[in-house]
Amino acid sequence: MEDVWSVAVGVFQVWMFVVVFFIMLPAMFGLSLGVTGVYIQILVKILEWATLRIQRGRQEQPSVPVPLPNGIIERAGGSMEEEMGQLRSSRSLVGGEFSLSDAFYFYKKGLESIADDQVTQRFSSEELASWNLLTRTNQNFRYISLRLTVIWGVGVFIRYCVLFPLRITLAIIGLSWLVIGTTLVGFLPESSAKNWLSEVVHLTCYRICARGLSATVHYHNKENRPQKGGICVANHTTPIDVVILANDGCYAMVGQIHGGLMGVIQRSMVRSCPHVWFERSEMKDRHAVTSRLRAHVAARTKLPILIFPEGTCINNTSVMMFKKGSFEIGGTIYPVAIKYDPRFGDAFWNSGKFNMVSYLLRMMTSWAIVVNVWYLPPMTIQDGEDAAQFANRVKSAIAHQGGLLDLAWDGGLKRGKVKDSFKEEQQKMYSSIIVGHNMSSTNTEEE
């Protein structure tokens, strides 16, 4: 029994030595030994081979299901006026005469929404081109060979028996360091030294946690990184977005106060850095929230605020409506586009399907987190532009840079119903088309 215990202690010591000296310490100083890069290159080669093997196997076995194209239906890209104009063009209308053909436009749109609406599909896992040797994959690819099965089995062993314990160890170390470090810094008097130490603690913690997810992050246009006194806004795919962004710079977080472990972390963080946490009752008071955020931005020495204006996680394919509240605060907006590589793991958090613990377990047993981050040039509100228009302009810039679909829908539809105002807007648009035809016909008769 003593021999077994000695072996266990020896293995633990070697394990901690590797974790501390080869992973944690380089991460704390923002260095990399290149191991993760080599690991990603090997993964790419394996996944490419698996894709070719599946494609060749499908040709050899015609009974294997053929993959469906992305998207269940083919949508027309025109506006209501353009599409309805095509339907009405075959009839000679007098003034504002109603045409029964108009009903076909709304009939078509209704069937499209029932079959595959643009909102619901943004809250399900992003479809892959081929199998990534993980459980979650495109169900159309079911070809299995002996070599694929062996590779998959080896992958399960590596992910669950090597990577998972390693990532858990790093996550525990990173979170412990965050709580202990920020608590100790919180006892120091307010000074520039305290602010510097706080930033060092936050950066090292997030870097350790990022290594705990095997995160490979490519930052582009670093000259546009958010500056103090500004507001950083980004598209939102996962809670890990915070770790990805804070791995390259410090931010003041905005959110609701929680209990349990999350509450302990929040209370320790706010001691060393002016994060903006709200009580549940305060979150419902828009005026109070805006006032506190505006006061934070007015202090040019404070860290930039990090906000995700969508208000919910979207599945890495699109950017949905930005809430205008973040753009009513004033100050400079620093847009950031985040795009995850779905081949190595599904970063999207479907909060309606997975709780936080099960989601993090899925992340820690995936291959890796590979992500591109683009810092866009700072933007300010223009003359004659309201907050909603400014929010849409920023959203469009983020979607264009990240190669994401730019959607006008509210992410709140994930749990709620379409607002009556949107229905009324569609009704007014249709009415304007009828009135427009009426006006043009009347002018023609007068001439």
Side-chain angles (χ1 to χ4, degrees):
M1 188 66 182
E2 293 180 359
D3 293 338
V4 174
W5 179 254
S6 299
V7 171
V9 172
V11 171
F12 178 77
Q13 290 176 340
V14 172
W15 178 264
M16 292 305 299
F17 178 83
V18 171
V19 169
V20 172
F21 289 96
F22 290 96
I23 301 178
M24 194 181 81
L25 288 180
M28 293 174 66
F29 294 98
L31 303 175
S32 174
L33 301 180
V35 177
T36 303
V38 174
Y39 167 68
I40 294 298
Q41 292 178 1
I42 294 174
L43 273 179
V44 170
K45 296 294 183 182
I46 292 175
L47 295 179
E48 288 177 350
W49 171 84
T51 300
L52 294 174
R53 187 72 187 89
I54 290 173
Q55 292 173 349
R56 188 166 68 248
R58 189 187 307 116
Q59 295 174 355
E60 296 171 355
Q61 299 182 15
S63 61
V64 176
V66 177
L68 296 172
N70 289 332
I72 299 175
I73 55 179
E74 198 71 33
R75 297 179 183 275
S79 63
M80 177 190 291
E81 187 171 9
E82 293 171 346
E83 294 187 48
M84 194 166 289
Q86 294 175 0
L87 291 172
R88 296 165 64 95
S89 60
S90 59
R91 296 176 56 87
S92 56
L93 301 177
V94 179
E97 180 183 352
F98 169 77
S99 174
L100 185 60
S101 64
D102 294 351
F104 287 99
Y105 170 80
F106 298 102
Y107 177 74
K108 173 176 173 287
K109 289 296 181 183
L111 288 179
E112 286 180 353
S113 297
I114 293 172
D116 188 29
D117 70 274
Q118 287 186 317
V119 176
T120 304
Q121 61 180 286
R122 306 305 162 193
F123 300 109
S124 59
S125 296
E126 181 181 4
E127 203 67 62
L128 300 181
S130 186
W131 190 26
N132 61 354
L133 303 180
L134 294 173
T135 302
R136 201 277 305 170
T137 183
N138 188 326
Q139 295 299 321
N140 294 309
F141 293 91
R142 297 176 183 175
Y143 173 78
I144 298 295
S145 69
L146 178 59
R147 280 182 288 181
L148 276 176
T149 303
V150 171
I151 293 293
W152 176 81
V154 172
V156 170
F157 175 80
I158 292 175
R159 290 188 291 110
Y160 283 88
C161 299
V162 179
L163 295 179
F164 181 60
L166 178 63
R167 291 166 177 173
I168 286 290
T169 303
L170 288 169
I172 293 173
I173 293 174
L175 293 177
S176 300
W177 169 240
L178 177 64
V179 173
I180 296 172
T182 52
T183 300
L184 293 176
V185 171
F187 288 115
L188 299 177
E190 293 297 330
S191 64
S192 58
K194 178 182 179 179
N195 295 334
W196 178 78
L197 284 174
S198 175
E199 293 184 17
V200 169
V201 170
H202 280 81
L203 273 176
T204 54
C205 162
Y206 287 120
R207 286 171 177 171
I208 293 171
C209 291
R211 296 293 172 88
L213 294 168
S214 298
T216 299
V217 190
H218 305 286
Y219 298 98
H220 307 276
N221 307 322
K222 286 193 173 185
E223 67 275 8
N224 296 326
R225 280 190 296 188
Q227 303 298 317
K228 292 183 176 180
I231 303 170
C232 175
V233 298
N235 57 300
H236 199 25
T237 305
T238 163
I240 297 173
D241 291 337
V242 175
V243 177
I244 298 300
L245 293 178
N247 189 49
D248 191 46
C250 290
Y251 297 89
M253 308 299 174
V254 179
Q256 180 180 309
I257 295 177
H258 295 274
L261 177 60
M262 182 62 70
V264 173
I265 295 174
Q266 287 181 321
R267 288 191 294 271
S268 62
M269 290 173 63
V270 80
R271 289 192 183 101
S272 64
C273 180
H275 297 286
V276 187
W277 305 128
F278 295 95
E279 297 286 352
R280 182 181 296 272
S281 58
E282 291 181 295
M283 293 293 289
K284 298 178 181 179
D285 188 346
R286 286 188 57 189
H287 178 72
V289 172
T290 303
S291 298
R292 285 190 59 185
L293 294 180
R294 187 175 287 121
H296 182 102
V297 172
R300 297 295 179 179
T301 58
K302 292 185 177 180
L303 295 174
I305 296 176
L306 176 58
I307 298 178
F308 300 103
E310 289 169 299
T312 188
C313 295
I314 314 297
N315 73 347
N316 195 45
T317 64
S318 314
V319 182
M320 300 187 77
M321 188 183 78
F322 278 7
K323 307 294 175 54
K324 66 178 182 179
S326 306
F327 301 86
E328 294 174 333
I329 300 171
T332 304
I333 298 292
Y334 294 89
V336 177
I338 307 173
K339 175 66 176 177
Y340 292 86
D341 192 328
R343 292 177 296 173
F344 307 100
D346 182 21
F348 168 59
W349 180 38
N350 187 346
S351 57
K353 187 175 180 180
F354 301 102
N355 58 35
M356 180 60 75
V357 174
S358 60
Y359 168 75
L360 291 177
L361 290 177
R362 283 166 57 88
M363 287 296 93
M364 289 186 175
T365 54
S366 64
W367 291 117
I369 301 295
V370 180
V371 56
N372 283 281
V373 174
W374 291 273
Y375 296 110
L376 279 67
M379 302 172 70
T380 55
I381 192 167
Q382 298 177 348
D383 294 337
E385 188 178 44
D386 60 25
Q389 293 171 331
F390 184 29
N392 286 329
R393 183 161 60 91
V394 174
K395 176 172 68 74
S396 298
I398 290 175
H400 176 73
Q401 180 62 76
L404 304 165
L405 291 176
D406 184 3
L407 300 179
W409 295 101
D410 185 356
L413 292 174
K414 179 180 181 179
R415 300 181 181 87
K417 296 181 179 180
V418 178
K419 294 181 179 179
D420 292 336
S421 59
F422 183 82
K423 299 177 184 178
E424 293 171 359
E425 182 182 343
Q426 300 298 306
Q427 294 168 355
K428 290 178 181 178
M429 192 180 301
Y430 175 65
S431 299
S432 66
I433 293 174
I434 299 296
V435 172
H437 282 296
N438 188 14
M439 293 293 292
S440 61
S441 300
T442 303
N443 294 335
T444 301
E445 290 176 359
E446 289 177 354
E447 292 175 359

